[in-house]
Amino acid sequence: MIVFPNCKINLGLHITRKRPDGFHDLETVFYPLPVNDALEIIAHPSLQFASSGIPVPGEAADNLCIRAFHLLQRDFPQVQPVNIHLHKHIPIGAGLGGGSADAAFMLRLLNQKFQLGLSDTVLADYAAQLGSDCPFFIYNRPCYATGRGEIMDPIDLDLSGYSFVLVHPGIHVNTGWAFKQLTPQAPAYALREKIQSPVATWRGLITNDFEAPVFSAYPVLAGIKEQLYAAGALYAAMSGSGSAVVGIFPKNKIADILWDASYRVFTIR
């Protein structure tokens, strides 16, 4: 069985308070985009994991796909060992949620293969144990997210009438460092209200709290954002804590941009 975990972007991101447990509350809008990994499982006498494409850091035993397997097997003994192959295409550490997508799609795969009959709500509860934004990929539709990012409320947001450019310059932004640069503050108006405005009005309205400190530390990211605007983007912003930057353009109206050869650039028309 094979599936193709997709990425997400953040449309707006506000850190609203630091919680007693040390985590932060936030608000954001998650939006899925078709930049995909490939994840395949087949029955095997023992649990195995291999990857190709972009190198996956860390030990195989710590991979989120393996952790997802053990999470379900703990409660459902009928989940038997599988051979897992992950082809990594979504940039790692880019704010695009690739690892979280792989984990969530692994849960969905196991649910289907072993006929566990788990609802999306139950799968999302398992996914939340693997990462704050993992539950989004169970629903995989535009959502307004609060809490640590795990509380999802689907919203009516259709951007199929636009084109997208995602640019990842290969910079890795440490998420822990990025959070330490912020002073949590609730915005005057909820992002859920702002996101209903026309896309052409989002510039300066839909903001990401991480941009100020991250752009200060990595000016090249601010330059990418400005290049996207200069090329005709209606809206451009960093996704998550970075370092991917996304531009939203009128449908099929993307000017040619000469990017650095080391950048990974994805165009979604």
Side-chain angles (χ1 to χ4, degrees):
M1 301 176 68
I2 186 168
V3 290
F4 300 94
N6 57 273
C7 79
K8 61 81 179 167
I9 55 171
N10 294 80
L11 297 172
L13 177 54
H14 303 299
I15 309 304
T16 57
R17 76 176 182 112
K18 188 168 184 179
R19 298 152 43 125
D21 61 9
F23 291 99
H24 291 80
D25 278 338
L26 57 83
E27 67 161 5
T28 191
V29 170
F30 290 130
Y31 193 87
L33 285 179
V35 176
N36 304 84
D37 290 341
L39 178 64
E40 184 176 22
I41 63 172
I42 58 174
H44 198 270
S46 61
L47 180 61
Q48 307 247 335
F49 176 85
S51 65
S52 56
I54 299 172
V56 178
E59 299 294 326
D62 297 326
N63 187 270
L64 282 170
C65 293
I66 294 290
R67 290 173 56 194
F69 174 88
H70 288 304
L71 189 63
L72 282 189
Q73 191 186 50
R74 179 193 67 192
D75 293 342
F76 301 95
Q78 63 266 46
V79 174
Q80 296 298 304
V82 291
N83 188 347
I84 305 166
H85 187 94
L86 172 65
H87 182 77
K88 197 71 188 153
H89 182 64
I90 302 171
I92 295 171
L96 298 175
S100 297
D102 298 336
F105 274 70
M106 185 69 184
L107 293 173
R108 292 168 60 179
L109 261 181
L110 294 171
N111 185 43
Q112 181 181 356
K113 181 173 180 61
F114 295 102
Q115 300 179 350
L116 304 182
L118 303 179
S119 68
D120 283 353
T121 301
V122 172
L123 286 173
D125 287 341
Y126 279 107
Q129 299 177 53
L130 297 170
S132 297
D133 58 356
C134 286
F136 166 72
F137 293 100
I138 298 297
Y139 300 109
N140 216 15
R141 56 163 293 182
C143 288
Y144 174 69
T146 54
R148 292 184 291 115
E150 84 285 10
I151 302 172
M152 303 284 167
D153 190 4
I155 61 173
D156 184 16
L157 180 64
D158 181 6
L159 299 179
S160 61
Y162 298 88
S163 295
F164 295 79
V165 175
L166 295 179
V167 184
H168 182 240
I171 294 170
H172 179 79
V173 178
N174 182 285
T175 302
W177 168 86
F179 270 102
K180 290 178 182 177
Q181 311 309 305
L182 299 179
T183 300
Q185 182 177 357
Y189 296 97
L191 177 61
R192 182 169 190 154
E193 299 172 12
K194 295 179 182 179
I195 205 72
Q196 299 304 325
S197 302
V199 173
T201 69
W202 284 5
R203 185 174 184 174
L205 179 68
I206 308 297
T207 59
N208 180 344
D209 288 351
F210 285 108
E211 282 193 0
V214 173
F215 284 4
S216 179
Y218 304 98
V220 66
L221 299 179
I224 291 171
K225 179 177 177 178
E226 289 309 312
Q227 281 183 276
L228 289 167
Y229 275 129
L234 299 172
Y235 175 73
M238 189 173 69
S239 183
S241 59
S243 61
V245 182
V246 58
I248 303 178
F249 291 78
K251 193 72 170 178
N252 295 321
K253 293 184 179 179
I254 301 173
D256 290 333
I257 306 174
L258 186 60
W259 298 109
D260 187 291
S262 66
Y263 292 2
R264 297 197 68 205
V265 180
F266 306 89
T267 302
I268 301 159
R269 299 186 185 277

